[in-house]
Amino acid sequence: MKSAEEDAFGYTPNVTLSLPLSAPCLPSQYHSLQSSPTISVTEPHLHQGNFDSPSPQDELRASGYYSSPRPNGAPALESPRIEITAYSQFAEEEVEESALPVAKRVNSIVTLTLPNADGYRDPSCLSPASSVSSRSCHSEASSYESSFSYNYDNSPQNSPWQSPSVSPKGSTLALPGDAHSPAGSPRTSITEDTWMGQRGSRPNSPCGAKRKYSFNGSGTPHNKYPYSPTHSPGLSPQTSPRLSVTDETWLPNTNQYTNSAILAAINALTTDGMVDLTEGIPTKARKTSLEHSAMLSLKVEPLSEEMGHSELCTEDRPGLKKEGGYGGGFLDVPQHPYSWAKPKTYISPSLPALDWQLPSSSGQYSLQIEVQPRSHHRAHYETEGSRGAVKALTGHPVVQLHGYMESEPLTLQLFIGTADDRLLRPHAFYQVHRITGKTVSTPSHEALHNNTKVLEIPLLPENNMRAIIDCAGILKLRNSDIELRKGETDIGRKNTRVRMVFRVHITQSSGRMVSLQASSNPIECSQRSAQELPLGHNFQPDSKVLFVEKAQDGHHLWETEAKVDRDGSKPNTLLVEVPPYRNQRLSTPVHVNFYVCNGKRKRSQYQRFTFVPATGENHSLDSMSYESALHC
DNA sequence: CGAGGAACATTA
DNA sequence: TAATGTTCCTCG
């Protein structure tokens, strides 16, 4: 964010948090490993814990909370170092399964504390997501049940710093140009660009972040879920005292926690639940920013855009051109087998907000990611064509709900979540992108939940409640656009890792609904090619290496760069410093391959080496030490 | 399309 | 200036 802009718009980018920075940052947690028993990954070669990112499920189960590694003001993480000795040798193959990490995170319950916004933005923070100091995580309920009465104050599930849920309204950012203004002009509205996915190219505007936006847009509170329930359940948002509080706090400088809590409350109390994207936040937004008639969240993608977007509006325009085959019928509410038209079957009057942490299993039910997505998927910008669906090492990700014996189909929701050390929440800079085409076998439906796109996929009993996720791509939103959103505290730079988050809401015979959630391993979404390296030959001090972790089949699980330095204390040994890339921590003692580039970007021009962890555990990037082996 | 690679732009 | 972010281009 540019100060100039801030001034110009009279708003402070940094959300002002009313709570004192807290920060109980428990170092031990950060370094301790965490076991992730709850995540089910069928693929043995996948290194689930590669990034050591906590799975929401784990967190929840542990009833612990997860603290940020770096409290506000604390020095930035030091670059982890990996020792490389050029002479040792290890077969690349050794790598494979040794990997499994797992970490056990010490959990402790802490009262919810809010992060200090300023600290959060502290330049010293390499990781945009690292400043949150702590948060509590309630786990009393093993699962979210609609009938529950949430205590928002205590509900740690509410992610205070969750960005996406923050109201997009930006009255102060209004621009002369209306969102509706015809194209041609640079993006005038986030809506347009962000959600519409304009293909048009936007010249690299020299003004980049300086662009001003109008959040108005078309916004018409249209699009209700095609199958949105018409009635409203007993819970009435309006009756909630907390909601009223919310409204009042829903101001420019309101602390996010409040906003989030409100959102959660709204979600929980809203009759239509998630279904009604137009409710809740939008309302609040209007209150605080009258100038904006419409909220981003209310917007629907234009029909002209990618196919499938129209579904959001199908309510009014049934029979819009549907994708061939699978997509079409599926979306047509009425007679379809899965009948999206039957809201009550899977729609709860009070679905939990997307930033709430939910368990992956409850009672007999268990939502599992049978096949994890690959650790890298280059997201596409609106200015690009789709880059396809997220893939898995073998085909596509697969998700399955176990323990469900009913014959009623359910809806599996998917959205792109964060992959940092904080609680899982919708990612502000990435959105799921519905993929359609001949190669896609799974029908899907796109919906908006606040500022988050949610892909809905049918979970059918005939398929054993198993879904192959071959219809989900990832869209990258421009950092400058998102960062300008009022209330947004996350920064996009170097915040390129995401997780696929799946949810399913099961209505039990008792009438209660159980919501489960499972999130994938982290997925790096940036292009990230190795940098050109000024390297003479092999290990040269100051040279850089491409740090790569590979799966058995040779696919990359992830990669990052590192610099090579000489370790003064050990002859023949060089240290590779791995940048604290977004605070990612190496899961465990995994064997890793790294490549040394000799000046070209071509992978073929890298010389490959393999790291083998020297000791085996409790490594976090900032402390691990690997012995390396020249492998080629 | 759907990748992969890069040039060009913006930041830190 | 190096590292990242975005937009373009090209190829199968």
Side-chain angles (χ1 to χ4, degrees):
Chain A
M1 288 254 170
K2 293 171 169 110
S3 59
E5 300 175 341
E6 298 168 12
D7 294 339
F9 296 105
Y11 87 94
T12 304
N14 292 325
V15 174
T16 299
L17 299 175
S18 59
L19 296 187
L21 171 56
S22 59
C25 168
L26 306 183
S28 62
Q29 290 186 316
Y30 179 53
H31 295 292
S32 59
L33 297 178
Q34 167 185 55
S35 60
S36 35
T38 58
I39 294 179
S40 69
V41 177
T42 52
E43 290 184 66
H45 49 290
L46 290 177
H47 303 181
Q48 313 184 357
N50 284 342
F51 300 91
D52 195 24
S53 48
S55 68
Q57 302 95 309
D58 293 339
E59 292 181 6
L60 196 64
R61 296 198 174 190
S63 299
Y65 77 98
Y66 198 38
S67 69
S68 161
R70 203 169 346 120
N72 176 41
L77 273 180
E78 299 194 8
S79 299
R81 312 192 120 207
I82 293 175
E83 287 186 33
I84 299 175
T85 48
Y87 42 82
S88 48
Q89 304 239 344
F90 293 79
E92 178 178 12
E93 289 51 38
E94 296 179 308
V95 182
E96 291 140 22
E97 312 232 353
S98 55
L100 283 196
V102 209
K104 291 178 176 153
R105 209 165 254 125
V106 175
N107 297 293
S108 52
I109 296 176
V110 176
T111 301
L112 178 67
T113 55
L114 296 180
N116 174 307
D118 293 330
Y120 182 65
R121 294 280 192 169
D122 181 353
S124 66
C125 296
L126 294 177
S127 170
S130 64
S131 63
V132 175
S133 29
S134 72
R135 47 186 63 198
S136 60
C137 181
H138 247 348
S139 64
E140 52 185 326
S142 61
S143 63
Y144 174 94
E145 293 192 18
S146 61
S147 58
F148 270 34
S149 173
Y150 279 82
N151 172 329
Y152 299 107
D153 292 335
N154 297 326
S155 204
Q157 290 100 319
N158 293 325
S159 173
W161 16 80
Q162 166 230 41
S163 36
S165 63
V166 174
S167 168
K169 72 201 171 304
S171 56
T172 57
L173 297 178
L175 248 191
D178 180 275
H180 292 299
S181 63
S185 59
R187 310 152 115 275
T188 54
S189 77
I190 283 182
T191 301
E192 221 179 279
D193 299 312
T194 302
W195 299 106
M196 305 303 173
Q198 294 184 336
R199 286 306 172 73
S201 61
R202 151 186 163 261
N204 282 349
S205 71
C207 21
K210 296 177 180 177
R211 282 170 289 148
K212 298 176 182 179
Y213 307 87
S214 161
F215 292 83
N216 278 330
S218 48
T220 10
H222 40 308
N223 32 341
K224 283 221 160 198
Y225 234 55
Y227 45 94
S228 171
T230 57
H231 71 296
S232 70
L235 295 178
S236 169
Q238 289 66 29
T239 59
S240 172
R242 293 178 187 287
L243 282 179
S244 60
V245 170
T246 301
D247 290 335
E248 311 204 313
T249 56
W250 192 262
L251 297 175
N253 288 324
T254 295
N255 81 46
Q256 287 188 292
Y257 176 60
T258 300
N259 291 343
S260 179
I262 291 169
L263 289 176
I266 289 172
N267 275 302
L269 300 174
T270 297
T271 298
D272 291 334
M274 63 156 284
V275 175
D276 187 356
L277 299 176
T278 64
E279 300 297 337
I281 293 177
T283 301
K284 292 190 294 181
R286 294 189 198 104
K287 292 181 181 179
T288 55
S289 56
L290 300 176
E291 38 303 35
H292 298 280
S293 59
M295 299 298 294
L296 255 184
S297 62
L298 299 180
K299 299 185 178 181
V300 176
E301 314 204 313
L303 298 176
S304 61
E305 200 16 270
E306 310 166 32
M307 304 172 118
H309 289 207
S310 61
E311 278 90 356
L312 290 175
C313 310
T314 53
E315 185 175 37
D316 302 325
R317 295 171 275 105
L320 291 180
K321 64 177 175 186
K322 300 283 181 174
E323 296 296 316
Y326 62 91
F330 179 69
L331 297 175
D332 287 328
V333 181
Q335 295 74 5
H336 196 281
Y338 324 136
S339 175
W340 290 93
K342 301 173 185 174
K344 299 195 175 184
T345 302
Y346 45 90
I347 291 180
S348 166
S350 55
L351 293 177
L354 298 181
D355 61 338
W356 282 24
Q357 311 301 299
L358 302 175
S360 60
S361 63
S362 175
Q364 64 183 107
Y365 310 118
S366 176
L367 181 63
Q368 306 191 314
I369 295 176
E370 303 294 337
V371 177
Q372 289 283 344
R374 285 191 182 178
S375 63
H376 190 288
H377 172 81
R378 181 172 165 181
H380 64 271
Y381 283 81
E382 296 161 343
T383 52
E384 302 181 297
S386 168
R387 283 182 177 281
V390 174
K391 301 173 190 58
L393 295 180
T394 51
H396 296 274
V398 175
V399 176
Q400 182 168 17
L401 171 63
H402 296 281
Y404 182 77
M405 305 306 165
E406 311 306 308
S407 57
E408 200 67 28
L410 295 179
T411 295
L412 178 69
Q413 299 183 309
L414 162 60
F415 65 90
I416 300 301
T418 56
D420 56 35
D421 289 335
R422 298 149 73 200
L423 292 184
L424 177 57
R425 58 197 181 290
H427 203 300
F429 303 90
Y430 293 89
Q431 295 289 328
V432 238
H433 174 259
R434 178 166 176 265
I435 302 294
T436 59
K438 311 175 188 67
T439 60
V440 181
S441 62
T442 306
S444 63
H445 171 276
E446 210 171 52
L448 268 183
H449 205 344
N450 291 330
N451 273 331
T452 306
K453 277 189 183 179
V454 176
L455 209 54
E456 300 189 319
I457 299 161
L459 270 185
L460 311 175
E462 50 265 51
N463 290 340
N464 204 25
M465 301 310 278
R466 183 186 181 87
I468 296 174
I469 315 302
D470 61 357
C471 55
I474 302 177
L475 172 69
K476 172 66 169 64
L477 303 180
R478 279 195 288 276
N479 295 339
S480 60
D481 289 342
I482 303 308
E483 291 168 351
L484 282 177
R485 283 184 186 170
K486 180 162 298 183
E488 180 54 66
T489 56
D490 278 351
I491 58 179
R493 193 179 177 78
K494 299 178 82 168
N495 185 5
T496 57
R497 294 173 66 223
V498 312
R499 280 189 282 186
M500 293 177 89
V501 185
F502 299 93
R503 282 188 172 187
V504 66
H505 306 289
I506 309 165
T507 298
Q508 300 176 298
S509 55
S510 64
R512 286 199 166 191
M513 185 171 71
V514 174
S515 296
L516 302 179
Q517 170 177 301
S519 62
S520 75
N521 288 341
I523 301 171
E524 171 58 53
C525 294
S526 65
Q527 178 181 345
R528 271 174 81 189
S529 58
Q531 298 292 306
E532 201 160 309
L533 308 179
L535 177 63
H537 55 277
N538 300 354
F539 282 121
Q540 289 293 308
D542 300 321
S543 63
K544 298 178 183 178
V545 302
L546 178 61
F547 192 63
V548 181
E549 188 173 281
K550 299 180 72 176
Q552 292 179 302
D553 64 359
H555 287 298
H556 288 197
L557 289 184
W558 69 279
E559 63 185 54
T560 188
E561 284 187 53
K563 285 190 174 182
V564 177
D565 286 308
R566 192 176 298 284
D567 179 351
S569 63
K570 302 177 183 178
N572 298 317
T573 296
L574 294 176
L575 289 178
V576 175
E577 285 191 71
V578 178
Y581 201 76
R582 288 183 294 297
N583 267 348
Q584 76 183 20
R585 283 165 288 163
L586 270 191
S587 42
T588 334
V590 267
H591 294 205
V592 197
N593 293 308
F594 64 91
Y595 296 75
V596 174
C597 178
N598 60 10
K600 297 292 184 176
R601 298 188 178 204
K602 303 292 184 181
R603 179 58 52 76
S604 62
Q605 301 194 47
Y606 280 78
Q607 291 193 335
R608 186 182 57 191
F609 297 85
T610 299
F611 283 134
V612 177
T615 61
E617 27 183 62
N618 274 333
H619 290 317
S620 69
L621 271 184
D622 58 355
S623 64
M624 69 172 79
S625 172
Y626 285 93
E627 284 187 355
S628 68
L630 177 56
H631 183 265
C632 51

